[in-house]
Amino acid sequence: MTLSYVPGDSLAHRLDPRSKLLVQAGFAAAAYAYTTPRGLAALTLLAVACLFLAGGGPRDLWTYRAAFPVLLLAPLIAGATLGAPWFRVERAAATGLASYRVLLILVVAAGYVRSTPVRDSRAAIQRAIPGRPGQFLGVGVALVFRFLPLLRRDLLTAREAVRARGGGTLPVRERMRLVAVAGLNRAFGRADRLGTALNARCFAWNPTLPRLALGPADLPALAVGGGLAAAAVATVV
Amino acid sequence: MIEADGVTCRFGGAAGGAEGDAGVVAVDDVTLSVADGEFLVVAGANGSGKTTLVRSFNGLVTPDAGTVSVNGTPVSDDLVAARSAVGMVFQDPRDQLVAATVGADVAFGPENLGCSHAEIDRRVEDALAAVNMAGRGDDRIAGLSGGERERVAIAGALAMEPDHLVLDEPFTGLDEPARRSVLDRLRELHAAGTSVIAVTHDLRDVLGLADRVVGLSAGRVAVDDAPRAAAEKLPGLDVRVPASFDFGETGGPTGREPGEPSEHETGGPTDQ
């Protein structure tokens, strides 16, 4: 399963994407400003609330499974030493909290992705950042959301094709090489076909963007996002 | 009207066509026209140049020689006008669908054309109704069947309100109900005045709808005739045609539901 927009009528679905972007940015800033267990506990509640308000659940986090080993291994590697005492708990704990912060940010991002159509994200970015930079960033975000799931599916297909012909018995390194080469070839082909499809439908840098409107429901979201950002800034000042 | 005049498309080869390395000639000096409202079938074996030819109709492929005009304007002069006038449905709809939901994908073309929100909504509604998917704008594309994706791809092209609709191997990978559904939609679109250009190597589905059949071989036009006359010549081009078909006086097939196999239908040209 790949995380993507899921049509729905949750509170997060009804919010303006700009409000949701502000909550995301504020949350990320607060997560890096408040590194104590108590601060992270509060942010955990908020992150879980964001995901549930978008109609999501633990199942959505499965998309991030590739990141979990890295997040888990990071504290162990940080704590390890080459000599006595062989493992420093305080270092591992600090890195563990950092890993946990990343996980929380991913949870909030999952809530955003499943509740926001790609073109709404593009519109929000292009309106928040005027001119060419906003257009470039908006198109980039739209293409990444479109291209990554396809790329991931191509890699899975390549892996299955290798296995289907007995490749499962090959050394890991050889399997990785085969899947990487096949995946790369498919990625180039996919990019080529996607480019042709966009051209066929008159791809434009300045299309008619969806209507965005801040409503009463956005006020709490704006307050939360702004509050988190302000709280993060307060720790620096 | 689409007019191709002496179109040649070449792939690969050294720049400037250096001696001994001219690349592969996919389309070789093709001249043909497609009238408004016509149902044209472009037939040919794999590698005969049919996809390359139709992609030159809206500037997705630039000919190395010759010109293509749409409604009197050379394609190279106004790509947006050409792509608005010639809608394209690719062989694999997954290559064409660019959004997560049906409505967002169908709206993609009109948004790029800069239409107003009301116009976009109208076009999306009309296009989805035309492919029998009205009210399914919020459906996730990932959850659609192959036939439904094909219909969404057609709706995406229709939302550009083209004069001509090009479909590249529209029945590949579709099961029988999906194939019939797409055929029904094409029949209705043609009846409503849209010119349809179907690219295929298997004419069993579309011969019943065609006004004219163009057969390509090695990039050249080998057959350009009414369906009855064309059906007799096409087996030599390694394409699949029905063994018998009930043709009317006009040279077009009649009497049987298009796409419905006849008792004598063959599995390929070798069975003729």
Side-chain angles (χ1 to χ4, degrees), chain A residues 59-191:
Chain A
R59 192 178 151 85
D60 292 301
L61 302 182
W62 184 239
T63 305
Y64 299 130
R65 62 190 177 281
F68 292 156
V70 178
L71 295 175
L72 285 172
L73 279 176
L76 299 176
I77 293 170
T81 61
L82 290 174
W86 301 108
F87 194 81
R88 289 183 184 277
V89 176
E90 68 280 6
R91 279 192 195 172
T95 309
L97 289 174
S99 286
Y100 188 65
R101 291 199 301 256
V102 173
L103 179 65
L104 292 181
I105 292 168
L106 291 177
V107 172
V108 177
Y112 176 85
V113 170
R114 69 168 287 129
S115 66
T116 314
V118 174
R119 57 181 183 155
D120 283 11
S121 293
R122 182 180 175 184
I125 290 168
Q126 288 192 211
R127 285 181 189 168
I129 306 170
R132 281 278 172 193
Q135 288 179 353
F136 191 73
L137 197 59
V139 169
V141 166
L143 287 180
V144 164
F145 276 113
R146 168 62 189 152
F147 196 65
L148 275 187
L150 297 174
L151 200 58
R152 190 174 159 274
R153 194 167 58 200
D154 285 344
L155 282 172
L156 287 174
T157 308
R159 193 175 70 174
E160 284 168 5
V162 168
R163 282 181 177 169
R165 287 187 285 166
T169 58
L170 292 170
V172 174
R173 190 175 167 180
E174 181 60 13
R175 272 185 282 158
M176 286 174 69
R177 189 189 67 77
L178 286 171
V179 172
V181 170
L184 206 57
N185 280 333
R186 285 173 192 228
F188 281 124
R190 179 72 70 183

Side-chain angles (χ1 to χ4, degrees), chain B residues 104-161:
Chain B
D105 190 83
V106 176
F108 181 74
E111 284 173 353
N112 285 325
L113 293 176
C115 298
S116 67
H117 288 108
E119 176 69 6
I120 291 170
D121 292 344
R122 183 193 66 75
R123 286 188 181 207
V124 170
E125 207 171 294
D126 289 354
L128 287 178
V131 296
N132 208 18
M133 290 190 74
R136 297 187 61 184
D138 282 339
D139 285 11
R140 293 189 73 193
I141 283 172
L144 300 179
S145 67
E148 289 171 331
R149 285 184 193 194
E150 184 75 28
R151 280 150 60 194
V152 173
I154 293 173
L158 287 178
M160 311 278 283
E161 301 203 334

Side-chain angles (χ1 to χ4, degrees), chain A residues 200-201, chain B residues 1-2 32 34-35 38-42 49-60 68 70 75 82-93 96 150 153-158 160-171 182 186 189 194-200 206:
Chain A
R201 294 167 79 184
Chain B
M1 173 175 267
I2 300 173
L32 65 85
V34 185
E38 186 174 21
F39 196 119
L40 174 72
V41 172
V42 179
K50 50 193 190 301
T51 295
T52 305
L53 175 65
V54 296
R55 285 190 177 196
S56 72
F57 291 172
N58 67 357
L60 292 176
V68 179
V70 175
V75 169
R83 287 170 185 166
S84 305
V86 183
M88 183 77 68
V89 179
F90 293 94
Q91 182 172 352
D92 185 349
Q96 176 169 350
E150 184 75 28
I154 293 173
L158 287 178
M160 311 278 283
E161 301 203 334
D163 301 321
H164 306 269
L165 182 65
V166 177
L167 301 106
D168 193 354
E169 303 283 4
F171 307 107
V182 172
L186 292 186
L189 287 170
T194 304
S195 161
V196 178
I197 301 165
V199 176
T200 185
V206 288

